[in-house]
């Protein structure tokens, strides 16, 4: 079993954070007309007309309904039955949001949900947080509280006994920290703790039409922002200029997001560098990352030059573009996930940039949805079969140490007759948006 197949990785690393994301998290309407009309970004950096032309996308956003979430809870219970689990425990975080709409980011104090195989969920919260939890709870009314001098683990153990599964099987979400799962194990030694991944990933990895629509808005917004950045760039600009534009551009669209920016030889490092970098004529620029729309994410990469690219850059770009196309063609229902990686890697190796991970040094892609990196992974060794409704990044790259790198990334969703990109493929390194 490939380790990446059953472990949802942490959120994406940020090598260059945009600043003051608090403002970018607010809809444009809440920023006020002065902020919306401002021609300067953070730090007083001037915004180009292309960034100022970005418009709110909020009218396209349709939130996930309570009816859909009820269906998710019912599906989870069906999967628990198949997997032989009597209940699952979820911490505050993305999966709790997925099933209930509660946006609660847990700390050392346990706040979570116990979902039994049948019946309504039970919420376990610190007593002093009860009223705040009730503001968000919409599914079920059973809220159990614990005081600071009490054990929340003992409370969950009692809940299991009350449901006559005190010697049963409890699924634990994979994002639950070790100290928490260890506390649960000690409080109920007769209960068998198992990964809840067959349930959590079993639900989240298959996207509904409503989820795909939110991801489409996110992908469209990121592509529009990248195009606006490219249109405004001039030689001599730094990462700080672009970071300010990213913040301002997403804010103008009523979203929040960020981007890593790498230039020249730093593009040969897949995740770049924090070293100061200056954009110059003819050097490659790599933009990567995405934004959030009602909890759903985009993840796009564009590599381009200002002005003319060298023949070698053009040739490498074309190889990566063909590899990306090969992966899309291979990503159909029933195909193994490793076969999609292999299809892209073959193009790159056959072009002389191999063997194996020599110049294409990472897996082809990852699942994406409410987390930028989630189940499952398009990587050698993962023999899991692709299913209709799954979503992945498609991001081959060629990285030549000391020179430059090219990565192209678009997100794709799998339909009954093959995979489709959310965004059009980049046509060339000099004209990345057509």
């Amino acid at each position: 079993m490939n380790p990446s197949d059953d472990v949802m990785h942490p959120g994406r690393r940020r090598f260059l954070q945009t600043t003051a994301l608090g403002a970018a998290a607010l809809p444009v309407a809440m920023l006020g007309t002065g902020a919306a009309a401002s021609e300067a970004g953070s730090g007083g950096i001037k915004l180009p007309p292309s960034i100022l032309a970005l418009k709110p996308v909020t009218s396209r956003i349709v939130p996930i309904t309570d009816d859909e979430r009820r269906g998710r809870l019912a599906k989870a219970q069906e999967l628990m039955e198949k997997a032989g689990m009597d209940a699952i425990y979820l911490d505050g975080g993305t999966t709790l949001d997925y099933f209930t709409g509660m946006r609660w980011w847990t700390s050392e104090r346990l706040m979570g949900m116990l979902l039994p195989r049948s019946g309504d969920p039970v919420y376990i919260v610190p007593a002093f947080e009860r009223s705040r939890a009730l503001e968000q709870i919409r599914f079920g009314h059973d809220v159990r509280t614990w005081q600071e001098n009490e054990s929340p683990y003992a409370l969950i153990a009692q809940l299991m006994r009350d449901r006559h599964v005190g010697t049963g099987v409890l699924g634990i979400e994979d994002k639950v920290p070790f100290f928490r799962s260890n506390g649960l194990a000690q409080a109920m030694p007769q209960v068998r703790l198992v990964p809840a991944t067959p349930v959590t990933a079993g639900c989240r990895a298959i996207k509904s039409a409503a989820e795909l629509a939110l991801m489409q808005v996110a992908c469209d917004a990121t592509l529009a922002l990248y195009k606006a950045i490219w249109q405004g760039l001039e030689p001599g600009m730094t990462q700080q200029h672009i970071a300010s534009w990213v913040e301002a551009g997403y804010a103008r669209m009523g979203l929040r997001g960020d981007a890593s920016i790498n230039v020249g030889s730093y593009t040969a490092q897949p995740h770049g560098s924090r070293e100061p970098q200056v954009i110059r004529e003819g050097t490659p620029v790599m933009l990567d990352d995405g934004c959030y729309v009602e909890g759903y994410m985009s993840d796009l990469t564009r590599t381009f030059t200002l002005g003319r690219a060298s023949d070698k850059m053009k040739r490498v770009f074309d190889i990566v573009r063909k590899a990306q196309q090969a992966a899309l063609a291979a990503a159909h229902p029933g195909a193994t996930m490793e076969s999609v990686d292999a299809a892209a890697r073959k193009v790159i190796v056959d072009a002389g940039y191999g063997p194996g991970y020599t110049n294409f040094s990472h897996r082809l892609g990852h699942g994406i949805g409410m987390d930028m990196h989630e189940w499952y992974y398009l990587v050698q060794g993962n023999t899991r079969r692709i299913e209709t409704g799954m979503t992945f990044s498609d991001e081959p790259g060629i990285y030549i140490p000391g020179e430059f790198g090219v990565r192209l990334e678009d997100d794709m969703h799998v339909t009954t007759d093959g995979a489709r990109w959310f965004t059009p493929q980049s046509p060339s390194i000099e004209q990345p948006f057509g």
Side-chain angles (χ1 to χ4, degrees), residues 350-378:
D350 287 352
Y353 290 96
Y357 290 83
T358 302
N359 293 106
F360 177 14
S361 52
H362 53 77
R363 66 191 175 205
L364 174 77
H366 52 80
I368 184 170
M370 293 186 75
D371 289 307
M372 187 172 278
H373 286 200
E374 62 181 43
W375 315 275
Y376 291 96
Y377 303 97
L378 303 176

Side-chain angles (χ1 to χ4, degrees), residues 185-202:
Q186 291 183 3
M188 51 182 95
Q190 303 305 313
V191 171
R192 185 161 65 96
L193 304 187
V194 299
T197 308
V199 177
T200 54

